[in-house]
Amino acid sequence: MTGARMSRPLVGPAVGLAILSTAVAGCSTGEPEEPSHSTATQTLSVGEVCAGLFPEAGEGGQALERVLESTRFQVREEQKNPDVRAVAKAMEDAYRSGKKIRDMPQPVCEVAGTDKGSRIPTARVMFTAYSKQAADPADLPGVGARDVRVTTQRKRVDLTFDCVSSRVGSTQDVPLQVTLAFQERWDESMGDAVLGQDYLTVTHSAALAVAKELGCVNNGGLPARADGLPKPEGGS
């Protein structure tokens, strides 16, 4: 209750003493109290973090486990644990904002693995929405929806797909453009040489989940599996 004050119960001295005696008797069992576990760090399965983006039985969830060398994960900031519905809604709202699209929130999914002693392995995916009305002409030259684009840098993948969706209101001429930026943030990991395909698989899993949630025609051109993605372009 907010703004309301609770009234004090009206009891006489004898009644009050009886209540106090009962409370004291109930607490004085002579047995030690169980320690509180409320401060213990909660860990989640890969399917529970950013729910829907990395299905536990899917390739994306398995790849994320390999990247972070973990099967249990932590959520250190709740605002960085959006589920697929929240991400899709943010992309839809951004598109509908028209020319304000660049000012709209960019959802971030950040997943932390098991503490390795010197460092906690972490990966994150940021989602950004663009449209022709407010994008760099180099990104959207006005030719309508295009094929999926992938670029890679050190421990990073950028994946862009164009979404034509009746839910969003986006069209072939003015599609919703969604860019995912995946970054692995653990200096001691095995890196691109070993995990490069897993980085692509994690990113593809999140992209496909969002495209399906948005109802993008043909899933935004995304293939059913990560190995069907176009060959990545090298970044700077």
Side-chain angles (χ1 to χ4, degrees):
M1 296 184 297
T2 57
R5 298 185 60 184
M6 297 182 63
S7 59
R8 179 175 298 175
L10 301 176
V11 297
V15 176
L17 180 59
I19 293 173
L20 178 61
S21 300
T22 302
V24 170
C27 294
S28 303
T29 62
E31 298 178 0
E33 294 184 5
E34 288 290 326
S36 173
H37 297 286
S38 59
T39 57
T41 301
Q42 182 184 16
T43 62
L44 305 171
S45 69
V46 70
E48 292 172 323
V49 291
C50 302
L53 295 181
F54 318 108
E56 197 154 355
E59 293 180 340
Q62 296 168 10
L64 187 59
E65 290 180 339
R66 289 191 293 270
V67 167
L68 299 183
E69 297 182 9
S70 307
T71 57
R72 301 296 296 178
F73 302 88
Q74 306 171 48
V75 173
R76 295 185 291 183
E77 297 181 58
E78 191 55 41
Q79 68 270 27
K80 294 182 180 179
N81 186 37
D83 62 19
V84 63
R85 292 174 298 178
V87 174
K89 186 64 167 61
M91 298 295 96
E92 177 185 359
D93 290 346
Y95 181 87
R96 291 182 180 276
S97 72
K99 293 185 179 181
K100 296 181 180 179
I101 193 168
R102 288 189 179 275
D103 301 323
M104 298 298 285
Q106 297 174 298
V108 175
C109 168
E110 186 168 280
V111 182
T114 305
D115 191 340
K116 302 300 181 184
S118 60
R119 192 77 182 267
I120 298 177
T122 305
R124 64 183 296 181
V125 183
M126 177 181 287
F127 303 82
T128 305
Y130 297 100
S131 75
K132 186 193 301 186
Q133 295 146 324
D136 186 324
D139 293 329
L140 287 173
V143 297
R146 295 188 291 157
D147 294 335
V148 175
R149 286 83 77 196
V150 181
T151 59
T152 57
Q153 300 180 43
R154 182 177 180 272
K155 295 185 179 182
R156 175 175 174 138
V157 174
D158 290 284
L159 185 156
T160 297
F161 67 93
D162 293 346
C163 176
V164 177
S165 165
S166 58
R167 163 184 164 170
V168 176
S170 55
T171 65
Q172 178 71 29
D173 290 335
V174 187
L176 161 64
Q177 184 185 92
V178 179
T179 294
L180 289 79
F182 166 87
Q183 186 176 18
E184 191 243 279
R185 310 176 76 186
W186 181 31
D187 292 341
E188 299 169 12
S189 80
M190 293 180 285
D192 300 83
V194 175
L195 298 172
Q197 184 58 44
D198 284 330
Y199 297 159
L200 287 168
T201 301
V202 171
T203 310
H204 168 267
S205 175
L208 185 60
V210 172
K212 288 182 175 180
E213 182 69 23
L214 287 169
C216 304
V217 172
N218 193 32
N219 291 329
L222 290 162
R225 295 170 54 105
D227 55 15
L229 287 169
K231 183 177 179 180
E233 301 174 10
S236 59

